[in-house]
Amino acid sequence: MAQQQYAQDSATIKKIYDNALTSFESYENLRYLTKQIGARLSGSPQAAAAVEWSRQLMEKMDLDTVYLQEVMVPHWVRGEKEIGRVTNSRLLGNVDMHIVALGGSVGTGKQGLSAEVVEVKSFEELEKLGKKKVKGKIVFFNRPFDNTLIQTGSAYGGAVDQRGGGPVAAAKLGAVGVLVRSMTNDYQTIAHTGSTRYQDDVEKIPAAAISTVDAEQLSSLLKEDSELKFYMRMTSETLPDVLSYNVIGEIKGSEKPDEIVVVGGHLDSWDLGEGAHDDGTGCMQSVEVLRLFNELGIKPKRTVRAVLFMNEENGLRGGTKYAELAKARGEKHVAAIESDAGGFTPRGFGLDGSKEQLQAVLAWKPLLAPYGLHEIGPGYGGADIGPLKGQGSVALIGFKPDSQRYFDYHHTEIDTFEQVNRREMQLGAASIASLVYLLTEHGLDGGGAKASK
Amino acid sequence: MAQQQYAQDSATIKKIYDNALTSFESYENLRYLTKQIGARLSGSPQAAAAVEWSRQLMEKMDLDTVYLQEVMVPHWVRGEKEIGRVTNSRLLGNVDMHIVALGGSVGTGKQGLSAEVVEVKSFEELEKLGKKKVKGKIVFFNRPFDNTLIQTGSAYGGAVDQRGGGPVAAAKLGAVGVLVRSMTNDYQTIAHTGSTRYQDDVEKIPAAAISTVDAEQLSSLLKEDSELKFYMRMTSETLPDVLSYNVIGEIKGSEKPDEIVVVGGHLDSWDLGEGAHDDGTGCMQSVEVLRLFNELGIKPKRTVRAVLFMNEENGLRGGTKYAELAKARGEKHVAAIESDAGGFTPRGFGLDGSKEQLQAVLAWKPLLAPYGLHEIGPGYGGADIGPLKGQGSVALIGFKPDSQRYFDYHHTEIDTFEQVNRREMQLGAASIASLVYLLTEHGLDGGGAKASK
């Protein structure tokens, strides 16, 4: 019996990969999302277009239900192209540098701001400098990625505090602006945006990311001349919140319709580039899971729900709203899988749940390893599904594609459709669909109600 | 003791990865090879430049010895840009199509040739058509890659017989030319070259690769109109053989200098593109192994020899010569590792050797898996090291990077430096260096002398 089940699971998974690898639909959907709609920052007309387009896309798919969840989202706009410039280098005179406003940043005013620069690698170093040396200056956070880490996400995790917390820490000491080294392993002249945070009781100062190549040059110039001045001009601003939506499609479970397996990505993106790897691929893979189930006639025992979350990048309002509503409705989630690490070759899954749940998923490894899914273990689920944590025994599962190239493109103008390889994206979709199939077929009952405590 | 050895091996491997991931030297070497020298087909001036440049590169590295091995290589030249054209489509009139001469192909003469086209998917189908339906025609081999295969190399293996054997099979039935669907998973308007073979007793007819997009269109047009004519013009020709070289650098073993571990790639490339993934990365990774050993002060117990083989693409003369000389000199090779599958994220190694040798390498898996090397098992070594097979107990080991993107670029004008990611390439170099370290440290004595029989 167990052997028979194994053979059936194995055959179903093979069908899933075969279909995914020979289908072009999802890749063409991604092309539409990235090329016809493009960047889709929360609150933008393009985000609204993405909502309506993906709703229509799922409506055409003969699902059991397609619906929207209302959610109010922040509406930040970048404004005019930023200017970043060293203005008094003894060696070089004026030196233009590539900067982009961090998401949520206030602007500099149209006249821009000009100030001396103090470079730090850490918050401790900043604290030691103290108000005297920081007041009136631009603080330049220049701690690089640790390139010796094999998983680039770990290097990101070790540097991104500068982007999130830099402006508040600097403003507390009287700084007038912030430059943060771009969050990437690469040496590029491209600056990487991303969210920053303010506190209500601390002055909001303008904050920009600077490309790694420019960060290195600025650091060199500062070594020669500590009185170097930097001019930055950004017209970014935050407008009133806008009504937007999570977009949801589902196939009802044939035996346990009240038990839900979520698969999702986030529909919003930054305003630079096309939000291809972040997170067009995750969204299109989630829709692809539904297409594969339908196309292959797989009737899931439990409900499969694809959720395209709104506003992961600068607010997480969609993920938060989804969890709120799930709780209010008393929904039972078996698991939630998020694909938000790019459309690269699959390596495995990370699971945030109980030991028993991990054991249950590890028991499926022989079914998944032939497809290159070797890295199955404890890990991070994902931002959008994070707010579900603790609801019943839901297991949060992060899809882990190969991470090497992700931060070359992440949050930049080069996160475009051209950077996505169809086979890599589709292997990802098939990997996720296979895990969803196993979860809907077998559940995670080993887990128990205390799973995520 | 075993535990102590494990800890030492683990620490050495960590040092190798740390250094590789933070060094830019090898990547800059690849830039030089691809951008300053460029494509380097056997017999070309660029191939000579690549020999002299890589010799100088290793001479500067403080190795124990750097030397050349003379080898006569074929000298085939493409000539003028090829023309491929449907000339009498009822629907479309003239339709230009992307073709490139297959390596080694004769030309069509300056006037080109024009003939009707018969499409086949297999040699069996061709045989069935027989002389009557083939004589005077262009045979169009259009069997695609099987995209359901997870390893793209397997799909290549299932299609490449058309490229190698198509012209002879077609000529035997009186065909005047051959078109072969490009060897790729992708749908592109780019044609992929590669070697074809003639037989002395069979007429040599011109053979070209056609892009997959054009192959699909040609196939469609043929369904509408079986009297479609195709015009092809190629001025390719084979000139007299040219003297060239394998380029070799080595670090002598401190304890068993007569036991050799080879690491290599091939220095020649096709004349299109820049030979970046095929096989600039393999060559630069091989040199990088030596740099890492020197830089980190690793004194190998056995000899490490980096071999940049000449003429893998259209003759294998370098690999053949290397094995001949090794045999003549009675050299003892412990293992030979080849990197010729692209500079992509490492997945593992394939081993062509004895069970005992495989067991010995598998015992190192706990040291390698933390770096993503999960796929260690029986497998193909590589073309250049192939002729060594059977010499003593040498184990032939193929480096296995992720295969998904390889055949997007393979043998084309877009196999360029820009397609190589520094981290992916360097992870490959570190993976190979780590295995070389283990082989030089521990040997493969489990293998025994009958290993490769």
Side-chain angles (χ1 to χ4, degrees):
Chain A
M1 177 57 192
Q3 207 171 346
Q4 199 179 344
Q5 181 68 52
Y6 184 90
Q8 186 197 307
D9 289 346
S10 176
T12 300
I13 289 170
K14 170 89 171 97
K15 278 199 300 182
I16 288 171
Y17 277 93
D18 283 359
N19 189 294
L21 285 169
T22 51
S23 167
F24 288 77
E25 205 169 311
S26 189
Y27 184 65
E28 291 305 318
N29 288 341
L30 180 70
R31 190 196 300 273
Y32 192 98
L33 180 63
T34 54
K35 291 296 178 193
Q36 299 301 313
I37 297 177
R40 45 201 180 278
L41 187 57
S42 291
S44 69
Q46 290 76 20
V51 166
E52 181 54 16
W53 171 77
S54 55
R55 191 189 66 77
Q56 291 182 19
L57 179 70
M58 290 201 277
E59 283 288 2
K60 281 183 289 189
M61 285 175 63
D62 191 27
L63 305 176
D64 290 308
T65 169
V66 174
Y67 57 101
L68 303 180
Q69 283 181 338
E70 293 190 353
V71 55
M72 296 300 294
V73 296
H75 188 196
W76 177 82
V77 291
R78 183 171 302 280
E80 297 164 37
K81 188 166 168 52
E82 301 85 343
I83 299 170
R85 183 179 295 148
V86 169
T87 53
N88 62 340
S89 162
R90 278 183 211 145
L91 234 60
L92 304 172
N94 280 355
V95 186
D96 282 320
M97 295 197 167
H98 301 82
I99 68 167
V100 293
L102 291 182
S105 177
V106 296
T108 56
K110 282 189 182 285
Q111 75 292 350
L113 75 84
S114 185
E116 287 181 9
V117 178
V118 282
E119 176 181 348
V120 296
K121 295 277 171 70
S122 68
F123 291 102
E124 296 68 41
E125 205 182 323
L126 179 66
E127 285 305 315
K128 274 191 199 149
L129 287 176
K131 279 195 181 172
K132 203 164 159 189
K133 289 185 175 162
V134 171
K135 195 167 157 57
K137 307 265 176 71
I138 292 170
V139 175
F140 168 34
F141 290 92
N142 194 27
R143 181 165 83 257
F145 269 32
D146 178 353
N147 271 324
T148 68
L149 296 169
I150 303 300
Q151 306 290 343
T152 61
S154 304
Y156 181 67
V160 74
D161 59 336
Q162 302 173 98
R163 193 189 74 203
V168 165
K172 281 181 177 171
L173 298 175
V176 295
V178 161
L179 291 171
V180 180
R181 182 189 179 97
S182 282
M183 297 293 136
T184 179
N185 305 87
D186 204 1
Y187 287 89
Q188 301 168 313
T189 53
I190 296 163
H192 294 234
T193 192
S195 254
T196 191
R197 293 184 302 272
Y198 291 123
Q199 280 181 20
D200 284 340
D201 58 341
V202 178
E203 195 184 355
K204 294 175 180 169
I205 60 175
I210 181 168
S211 84
T212 45
V213 164
D214 291 306
E216 292 289 314
Q217 189 178 17
L218 180 57
S219 183
S220 294
L221 292 173
L222 282 168
K223 283 186 184 66
E224 301 292 319
D225 179 2
S226 64
E227 287 170 18
L228 211 68
K229 283 207 164 185
F230 196 91
Y231 172 75
M232 57 196 285
R233 181 181 186 279
M234 313 180 342
T235 61
S236 51
E237 58 180 325
T238 298
L239 305 175
D241 284 2
V242 169
L243 178 62
S244 188
Y245 306 91
N246 294 328
V247 185
I248 300 178
E250 64 186 51
I251 302 172
K252 282 268 181 294
S254 59
E255 295 185 7
K256 300 184 175 183
D258 295 340
E259 297 191 13
I260 299 161
V261 176
V262 160
V263 55
H266 63 84
L267 195 51
D268 65 306
S269 76
W270 283 107
D271 55 324
L272 308 171
E274 300 167 359
H277 281 291
D278 187 15
D279 182 25
T281 52
C283 288
M284 294 306 95
Q285 286 169 332
S286 299
V287 173
E288 178 74 348
V289 169
L290 301 179
R291 187 194 70 78
L292 287 164
F293 271 68
N294 268 1
E295 180 100 359
L296 298 171
I298 302 171
K299 305 283 179 209
K301 291 183 181 166
R302 294 166 176 82
T303 291
V304 182
R305 181 182 285 174
V307 185
L308 312 184
F309 295 94
M310 181 50 64
N311 186 227
E312 189 270 349
E313 294 294 4
N314 58 337
L316 208 66
R317 301 274 184 90
T320 306
K321 173 65 76 174
Y322 179 84
E324 267 175 35
L325 292 173
K327 191 171 187 182
R329 292 172 185 163
E331 288 181 339
K332 180 179 177 183
H333 284 79
V334 175
I337 306 176
E338 181 152 355
S339 172
D340 185 21
F344 305 99
T345 294
R347 303 298 300 240
F349 294 99
L351 187 137
D352 178 3
S354 69
K355 276 184 199 170
E356 292 78 10
Q357 289 174 327
L358 181 59
Q359 287 309 317
V361 174
L362 280 171
W364 297 328
K365 207 170 163 181
L367 289 160
L368 301 172
Y371 301 95
L373 296 162
H374 302 288
E375 299 179 5
I376 299 174
Y380 174 63
D384 295 293
I385 60 177
L388 276 177
K389 187 164 169 132
Q391 284 194 24
S393 60
V394 62
L396 307 182
I397 302 177
F399 168 58
K400 277 180 68 178
D402 190 79
S403 75
Q404 299 310 320
R405 286 172 284 148
Y406 189 51
F407 291 100
D408 294 1
Y409 314 129
H410 188 244
H411 296 182
T412 71
E413 66 197 50
I414 61 168
D415 182 8
T416 60
F417 180 71
E418 288 74 14
Q419 308 300 344
V420 179
N421 176 280
R422 187 186 68 89
R423 282 182 62 86
E424 293 189 350
M425 172 186 174
Q426 288 296 87
L427 282 171
S431 301
I432 297 164
S434 297
L435 183 58
V436 169
Y437 161 74
L438 292 168
L439 288 164
T440 56
E441 190 73 4
H442 305 293
L444 274 182
D445 288 341
K450 287 165 211 145
S452 317
K453 298 277 169 72
Chain B
M1 178 58 191
Q3 207 170 345
Q4 199 180 343
Q5 180 68 52
Y6 185 89
Q8 186 198 306
D9 289 346
S10 176
T12 300
I13 290 170
K14 170 89 170 94
K15 278 200 298 180
I16 288 171
Y17 278 93
D18 284 359
N19 189 294
L21 285 169
T22 51
S23 166
F24 286 77
E25 203 168 314
S26 188
Y27 184 65
E28 291 307 317
N29 287 341
L30 180 70
R31 190 196 302 272
Y32 192 97
L33 179 63
T34 53
K35 291 297 178 193
Q36 299 301 313
I37 296 177
R40 45 202 179 276
L41 186 58
S42 291
S44 69
Q46 291 75 21
V51 166
E52 181 53 16
W53 171 76
S54 56
R55 190 189 67 76
Q56 291 182 18
L57 180 69
M58 290 201 277
E59 283 287 2
K60 280 184 289 189
M61 285 175 65
D62 191 27
L63 304 176
D64 290 309
T65 168
V66 175
Y67 56 102
L68 304 181
Q69 283 181 340
E70 294 191 352
V71 55
M72 295 300 294
V73 296
H75 188 197
W76 177 80
V77 291
R78 184 170 302 281
E80 297 164 37
K81 190 167 167 52
E82 300 85 344
I83 299 171
R85 183 179 295 149
V86 169
T87 52
N88 62 340
S89 162
R90 277 182 210 146
L91 235 60
L92 304 172
N94 281 355
V95 186
D96 281 320
M97 296 196 167
H98 301 82
I99 67 166
V100 293
L102 292 183
S105 176
V106 297
T108 57
K110 282 190 180 286
Q111 75 290 352
L113 75 84
S114 184
E116 287 181 9
V117 179
V118 283
E119 175 180 348
V120 296
K121 294 278 172 69
S122 67
F123 291 102
E124 296 67 41
E125 204 181 323
L126 179 67
E127 286 304 315
K128 274 192 196 146
L129 286 176
K131 280 195 182 174
K132 202 165 160 187
K133 289 186 176 162
V134 171
K135 196 167 159 44
K137 305 266 176 70
I138 292 170
V139 175
F140 169 33
F141 291 92
N142 194 28
R143 182 164 83 257
F145 269 32
D146 179 353
N147 272 324
T148 68
L149 296 169
I150 304 298
Q151 306 291 343
T152 61
S154 305
Y156 180 68
V160 74
D161 60 336
Q162 302 173 99
R163 194 188 74 202
V168 166
K172 280 181 177 169
L173 299 174
V176 296
V178 161
L179 291 170
V180 180
R181 183 189 179 96
S182 282
M183 297 293 137
T184 179
N185 307 88
D186 204 1
Y187 288 90
Q188 301 168 314
T189 53
I190 296 163
H192 294 233
T193 193
S195 253
T196 192
R197 291 185 302 272
Y198 291 123
Q199 281 180 19
D200 284 340
D201 57 341
V202 178
E203 195 184 355
K204 294 174 179 170
I205 60 175
I210 181 168
S211 85
T212 45
V213 164
D214 292 306
E216 291 290 314
Q217 190 179 15
L218 179 57
S219 183
S220 294
L221 292 173
L222 283 167
K223 284 186 184 66
E224 300 292 318
D225 180 1
S226 63
E227 288 171 18
L228 210 67
K229 284 207 166 184
F230 196 91
Y231 171 75
M232 58 196 282
R233 181 181 187 279
M234 313 180 340
T235 61
S236 50
E237 58 179 326
T238 298
L239 305 175
D241 283 2
V242 169
L243 177 63
S244 188
Y245 306 90
N246 294 328
V247 185
I248 300 179
E250 64 185 52
I251 302 173
K252 282 267 179 294
S254 59
E255 295 185 8
K256 300 184 176 184
D258 294 340
E259 297 191 13
I260 300 161
V261 176
V262 159
V263 55
H266 63 84
L267 194 52
D268 65 307
S269 77
W270 284 106
D271 55 324
L272 308 170
E274 301 167 359
H277 280 292
D278 187 14
D279 183 23
T281 51
C283 288
M284 294 305 96
Q285 287 169 333
S286 299
V287 173
E288 178 73 349
V289 169
L290 301 181
R291 187 194 70 79
L292 286 164
F293 272 66
N294 269 0
E295 180 101 359
L296 298 170
I298 303 172
K299 305 283 178 209
K301 291 182 182 168
R302 292 166 177 82
T303 291
V304 181
R305 181 183 285 174
V307 185
L308 313 184
F309 295 94
M310 181 49 64
N311 186 229
E312 189 271 347
E313 294 295 3
N314 58 336
L316 208 67
R317 301 272 185 92
T320 306
K321 173 65 76 174
Y322 179 85
E324 268 174 33
L325 292 174
K327 192 171 185 181
R329 293 173 185 160
E331 288 182 340
K332 181 180 176 184
H333 285 79
V334 175
I337 306 176
E338 181 152 354
S339 172
D340 185 21
F344 304 100
T345 294
R347 303 298 300 240
F349 295 98
L351 186 137
D352 178 2
S354 70
K355 275 186 199 168
E356 291 78 10
Q357 288 173 328
L358 181 61
Q359 287 309 317
V361 173
L362 281 170
W364 298 327
K365 207 170 162 181
L367 289 161
L368 300 172
Y371 301 95
L373 295 163
H374 302 287
E375 300 179 4
I376 299 174
Y380 173 63
D384 296 291
I385 59 176
L388 276 177
K389 189 164 168 133
Q391 284 194 24
S393 59
V394 62
L396 306 182
I397 302 177
F399 169 58
K400 278 180 67 177
D402 191 79
S403 75
Q404 300 310 320
R405 285 172 284 148
Y406 190 52
F407 292 100
D408 294 1
Y409 314 129
H410 188 244
H411 295 182
T412 72
E413 65 197 51
I414 61 168
D415 182 8
T416 58
F417 180 72
E418 289 73 15
Q419 308 299 345
V420 179
N421 176 280
R422 188 186 68 87
R423 282 183 61 86
E424 294 188 349
M425 172 186 174
Q426 288 296 87
L427 282 171
S431 301
I432 297 164
S434 297
L435 183 58
V436 169
Y437 161 75
L438 292 167
L439 288 164
T440 55
E441 189 73 4
H442 305 293
L444 274 182
D445 287 343
K450 287 163 213 149
S452 314
K453 301 277 168 75

